[in-house]
Amino acid sequence: MGDEVRIGYSFWGFLGPGITDTPDGGRSHRRTLIDGLRTAGHDIVFLQPNRDLCEAGDDLTGHYRWDVGLPDIDALFLEWRWPIPGRNTTPCGRPGHTCDLHRQADLLTHYTHQLGTPTILWDKDRQLPAADPLRGTHNITVCEPALCPTPGAVPLLFPVADTAIDAADPAALAALARPTPLVYVGNQYDRGAAFDTYFAPAAAQLPHLVAGKWTDITRWPDLYFVGRIAFPRVAEIYAEALATVLLLPARYATAGQMTQRIFEAVLAGCAPLLPADVRGGAAFVPPSLIVRNATEVRHRVGWLTEIAGTREHAELLAECLRHLDPFRLSTQIDVLDRLLRHPEPVAS
């Protein structure tokens, strides 16, 4: 393909802060990845509607390009979408319908199947079945943000800018006042069991906050839920908190798939406590922050309260920052650069 690869990039979300009432964890890393690809010499056109402009009123067309047709591209990059009943499975034009799934199907048909365009399918939510025929399609490479992805898939973690890690000052982060001992930021999706095991009993004994879409909060009448928050508020909550628990759906934990919450928290100086059942957890956090139950969460928060603002606290945050190295943008760009410039056939 030469040095520059023209990438058709399909995503359903935002590059900027977007709107509050929507699930889109990609806001923490999508623009970082795209800017990294452009810096690496690639050209990018977005193939889904411009939600930043249409829904959030954020005009980024001076910096990026959208095309809802079928432009000439060298490679197709899909942030994988899956059927969501009542939302993208309904007929076009129905109230509440989103056309992300239909558009993705059209892109696959035209580029991947008809033209044979090299395609990267980034299964960020582990929704593509292990036996799906797409995994064996010769011009498709499946990527997953996991240490131990599905056989045949390539690890592609959520990226954080190298400059953000390098610029973080552990001593300054440790010196910040942190009035909230324990927080959780994120939606409920498939996290109820982990919440009950690791977070809820500890939070009931501590000042705390839970932000995100939780649909059945009557199960936890003693906990403080604030609902969905604007994206910029995420960093503010972490900056005021001593610790969080990295709650994961079981399908993430068994594959060693970590969400963007880890670097959102660490870059704000919020210590990330990690459940012991997460595969490969030692790659994500220092050993002292791995917990087996809510009792250990409570004890770790007590220890963090004792060392808050001290040199020991700063050293712990420095160690957390070092554990962000696997997520560095430079590492993820190296992975994509290889796949884009030298696409490899999928083994049959």
Side-chain angles (χ1 to χ4, degrees):
M1 292 188 223
D3 289 335
E4 179 185 88
V5 178
R6 290 168 296 171
I7 304 168
Y9 195 113
S10 171
F11 72 95
W12 187 252
F14 301 91
L15 296 175
I19 59 177
T20 299
D21 191 21
T22 185
D24 181 26
R27 284 173 286 191
S28 69
H29 57 265
R30 182 178 294 119
R31 195 167 182 174
T32 297
L33 181 65
I34 288 162
D35 288 346
L37 286 168
R38 295 173 73 190
T39 299
H42 303 302
D43 182 35
I44 295 180
V45 56
F46 301 128
L47 301 177
Q48 294 273 3
N50 183 351
R51 295 183 68 196
D52 286 278
L53 181 61
C54 297
E55 297 181 38
D58 192 0
D59 189 357
L60 302 175
T61 54
H63 302 281
Y64 304 99
R65 182 160 54 101
W66 280 261
D67 191 326
V68 293
L70 297 170
D72 290 335
I73 59 174
D74 298 314
L76 177 64
F77 188 105
L78 304 171
E79 290 190 17
W80 187 245
R81 303 298 299 165
W82 62 95
I84 303 174
R87 188 186 303 174
N88 59 13
T89 59
T90 55
C92 298
R94 286 276 183 90
H97 175 77
T98 62
C99 220
D100 51 303
L101 193 63
H102 292 167
R103 174 62 169 168
Q104 179 176 269
D106 290 343
L107 297 174
L108 278 167
T109 297
H110 178 75
Y111 291 113
T112 308
H113 299 310
Q114 293 180 356
L115 298 182
T117 302
T119 300
I120 294 175
L121 189 163
W122 197 14
D123 187 16
K124 300 170 69 174
D125 291 272
R126 304 193 67 77
Q127 294 289 345
L128 185 70
D132 194 292
L134 289 173
R135 292 187 183 273
T137 302
H138 73 92
N139 57 325
I140 293 180
T141 300
V142 175
C143 294
E144 297 174 4
L147 298 179
C148 304
T150 304
V154 176
L156 179 66
L157 305 187
F158 298 131
V160 58
D162 294 47
T163 51
I165 298 175
D166 296 337
D169 183 342
L173 291 172
L176 292 176
R178 298 186 178 274
T180 309
L182 184 64
V183 301
Y184 181 74
V185 179
N187 298 323
Q188 184 170 357
Y189 308 135
D190 301 321
R191 289 173 170 84
F195 192 79
D196 281 330
T197 301
Y198 296 99
F199 189 90
Q205 302 177 52
L206 296 164
H208 66 276
L209 178 152
V210 180
K213 183 179 180 181
W214 289 73
T215 56
D216 186 19
I217 62 175
T218 57
R219 290 172 54 187
W220 305 285
D222 298 329
L223 301 192
Y224 179 46
F225 294 86
V226 299
R228 275 182 166 156
I229 57 174
F231 181 67
R233 178 70 178 131
V234 172
E236 295 172 0
I237 288 176
Y238 282 132
E240 297 169 351
L242 196 58
T244 187
V245 184
L246 300 172
L247 302 176
L248 299 173
R251 68 182 187 277
Y252 289 11
T254 57
Q257 175 165 325
M258 181 54 62
T259 73
Q260 71 281 356
R261 299 305 177 197
I262 187 170
F263 51 78
E264 290 176 343
V266 171
L267 291 176
C270 178
L273 304 177
L274 181 67
D277 61 0
V278 175
R279 188 174 181 181
F284 296 128
V285 301
S288 60
L289 297 183
I290 294 177
V291 292
R292 293 174 295 177
N293 49 52
T295 299
E296 290 195 356
V297 169
R298 178 67 183 86
H299 291 164
R300 295 299 193 283
V301 173
W303 167 60
L304 289 166
T305 301
E306 292 175 359
I307 67 169
T310 67
R311 180 176 178 178
E312 184 179 1
H313 189 198
E315 290 173 347
L316 176 67
L317 294 179
E319 194 173 355
C320 290
L321 287 164
R322 287 192 292 272
H323 276 77
L324 294 184
D325 281 347
F327 300 92
R328 283 183 177 265
L329 173 65
S330 56
T331 300
Q332 314 319 315
I333 292 298
D334 284 346
V335 172
L336 285 176
D337 220 28
R338 174 178 59 79
L339 295 176
L340 290 165
R341 299 185 198 275
H342 306 288
E344 300 174 359
V346 174
S348 59

